[in-house]
Amino acid sequence: MRVYLDNCCYNRPYDDQSQLRISLETQAKLHIQDLIKEQQLELVTSYVLWYENS
């Protein structure tokens, strides 16, 4: 399965983790990241994401 993560996902671990919703989103993002590293998911990107980060 292919997944696309936007900039909010990449920055979520740096947000205030005292809010339950943010903490859960962070945990989900880190789990997805682990699955990508284990090649169980394929990370895709876009020109827009590259542009936003330039």
Side-chain angles (χ1 to χ4, degrees), residues 8-32:
C8 293
C9 292
Y10 291 110
N11 293 321
R12 185 55 80 199
Y14 303 104
D15 292 335
D16 179 9
Q17 298 299 306
S18 65
Q19 296 181 37
L20 179 60
R21 178 181 60 87
I22 293 174
S23 178
L24 291 173
E25 289 174 0
T26 298
Q27 291 175 42
K29 186 270 183 187
L30 295 174
H31 181 68
I32 291 169

Side-chain angles (χ1 to χ4, degrees), residues 1-4 7-10 17 19 23 26-27 29 31-36 42 46 50 52 54:
M1 176 185 296
R2 293 179 178 166
V3 294
Y4 175 87
N7 279 335
C8 293
C9 292
Y10 291 110
Q17 298 299 306
Q19 296 181 37
S23 178
T26 298
Q27 291 175 42
K29 186 270 183 187
H31 181 68
I32 291 169
Q33 184 175 306
D34 287 339
L35 293 175
I36 293 168
E42 179 183 356
S46 70
W50 287 86
E52 287 178 343
S54 66

Side-chain angles (χ1 to χ4, degrees), residues 39-52:
Q39 298 182 343
Q40 294 181 25
L41 294 174
E42 179 183 356
L43 179 64
V44 295
T45 188
S46 70
Y47 173 76
V48 175
L49 190 60
W50 287 86
Y51 179 76
E52 287 178 343

